[in-house]
Every structure is written in C-alpha cells, then in structure tokens.
Amino acid sequence: MGAAEGLENGFDNGESRVSVLPMLSFDLGRAVTLHLDGEYYDQRGRGYWHMVPATPETQHGDFSAIPWDLNMASPDDSWRGWNASGGLRLDARLSDGLALHAAFRYTRIDGDIDVQALAALAADGHTAQRFAYREKSVWDEYQSDSFVTLGAKTGPLAHTVVAGVEAGLSTVDSRIGIGSAPSLDIYAPVYGPKPELSLSPTGNDMLRVGIYAQDQIAKLPTEIRDQLARKFAA
C-alpha cells in the first residue's frame, strides 16, 4: 500500500506527506506462517504551528485584513520528519489447542525542525513577536512480544490461556535550541534573516519488560459437553 498527500489550506506552508507500507506472508508449513511488514513515512512543511494572531477582528471571525497566505514562519524555514520500520511475526500451531506467536519490530524516527513561530502580538495590534526553534532528533525503538495460547477444558468449563513476555527499548538523542526571532508586521509581512541558534544535546534511554498471563473461562453449553464426552469416551 502507498499514499501521497499535498496540503493546500490557505497557509503558504508547502506541506506534503508520503507513506509506503509493504507486507508479505509466507506459509512455512501447514502449521507455521511468517509475516513481514514495513513502513516508510515522510512529512515536511514550512511552518510547524498554524497560528493567526488574536486581534479584536480575528477573535470575532473577521480575517479579511490579514493576508490570506500569512505564515509566521519565514520562507526559508522548514521542518521534516520521517520514520522507517520493519517487523516480523511468527505464528505456529504446536498442537491441537496450543499455539506460539512471536513478533519483533524496529522503528527509526528522524526529525529536523527549523522554524520561527508566533510568541505574542505587540500592543500596537499589528507587530507579531516571534521566537526561533531548532531541533534535530533521532529515535530508535525496539519492541518484541512473544506469547503462547492454550485451549483446554475442565469439566463444564472451557479455558483459553494466554501467557507471554513483552520487551522494548527506546533511545532518544536530540539537539535543541530556542531564541528570539525578528518581529513581523502581520498586515505587511517582511521576513528578516534567520537567527543562528546554539543547540544543546539531550536524550534518554528507556527499557521496558512485562510479563502477562490470563485465563478466559467460558461455560460450555450442555450439547457441546455431551459431544466432547462422547468423543473422549470413544
């Protein structure tokens, strides 16, 4: 599957999105199936926040005095984010009523934001005070989930037991900077030079491990209990 989108919503923002999602499944035998899937997603634009200054007119729904394509971001501002991931899942029937399911996925997310945005409207009612924001970040995500399902019967009760282990590792590395930006006349915008920002590194790692188990119990109808009794008696 694939999709592409170009957004034209009045803001001069140049937004677009593209995604591709391939999938494959292989039967490795009568009781084993391997599923492979991937995803690539790319989005980009000019301004990161769609904002209109809160003038007395705009607060009452009158935007006629503001240029239709007004954008708080300068023409050379931009943001882009993309992610790519791949996963596999193995489904295996080990015996009647017993099955194994194991899945793993890796995801990489890369973001680059370099924009100027609205901070406040000055007292004169037409000067937009702006700030500059820059962020370069990389996320890595590892996830796995393995569990077994077991169907069993005890007397008049049917059991569906699920037990498994889930684990994940997330790592984030970012460099972020924020500062003041040249002001902008919202009725006659003239964009000044982009400020240079120093970026400070930040990041974190998080490991997650979980163990789970459940037993779903249902009472068998009388006719099914009788059929099972005759089957096992035979």
Side-chain angles (χ1 to χ4, degrees):
M1 297 186 295
E5 176 186 25
L7 185 62
E8 182 62 44
N9 60 355
F11 293 92
D12 183 12
N13 210 43
E15 286 190 55
S16 64
R17 298 175 179 85
V18 175
S19 59
V20 180
L21 300 96
M23 292 174 284
L24 290 170
S25 293
F26 300 94
D27 289 329
L28 305 181
R30 296 184 61 184
V32 181
T33 303
L34 178 66
H35 308 273
L36 303 175
D37 70 270
E39 178 184 5
Y40 176 78
Y41 180 72
D42 191 307
Q43 58 179 342
R44 62 187 68 198
R46 172 181 164 188
Y48 195 66
W49 296 281
H50 293 169
M51 292 185 178
V52 175
T55 66
E57 292 77 20
T58 60
Q59 292 187 77
H60 290 86
D62 181 5
F63 302 94
S64 59
I66 297 178
W68 176 249
D69 60 352
L70 174 67
N71 196 321
M72 291 296 109
S74 296
D76 57 347
D77 288 355
S78 65
W79 59 266
R80 182 194 178 196
W82 63 267
N83 65 269
S85 68
L88 60 86
R89 188 180 85 242
L90 183 70
D91 297 322
R93 189 176 73 252
L94 304 180
S95 64
D96 288 342
L98 180 63
L100 169 67
H101 308 273
F104 175 80
R105 175 168 295 279
Y106 167 72
T107 303
R108 165 74 176 248
I109 304 173
D110 197 303
D112 189 344
I113 303 171
D114 187 8
V115 299
Q116 299 168 82
L118 177 65
L121 190 63
D124 60 14
H126 65 84
T127 301
Q129 299 169 341
R130 299 189 299 164
F131 69 94
Y133 182 83
R134 183 72 195 274
E135 177 183 342
K136 296 176 67 68
S137 296
V138 174
W139 294 263
D140 290 295
E141 181 81 21
Y142 305 86
Q143 296 174 291
S144 68
D145 185 18
S146 300
F147 63 94
V148 294
T149 60
L150 173 65
K153 186 183 79 70
T154 56
L157 302 179
H159 300 264
T160 302
V161 179
V162 179
V165 178
E166 182 177 0
L169 172 64
S170 302
T171 66
V172 181
D173 292 302
S174 300
R175 290 182 293 146
I176 299 174
I178 189 169
S180 60
S183 59
L184 194 68
D185 187 332
I186 63 175
Y187 299 110
V190 176
Y191 299 93
K194 180 183 295 188
E196 293 292 333
L197 299 177
S198 59
L199 306 183
S200 301
T202 183
N204 64 78
D205 298 338
M206 182 171 65
L207 176 65
R208 308 176 303 278
V209 178
I211 300 174
Y212 58 91
Q214 73 172 27
D215 183 6
Q216 182 178 350
I217 303 173
K219 185 176 181 181
L220 293 172
T222 303
E223 58 272 17
I224 295 180
R225 296 204 307 267
D226 292 342
Q227 291 175 6
L228 291 174
R230 290 192 295 271
K231 176 181 177 181
F232 287 114

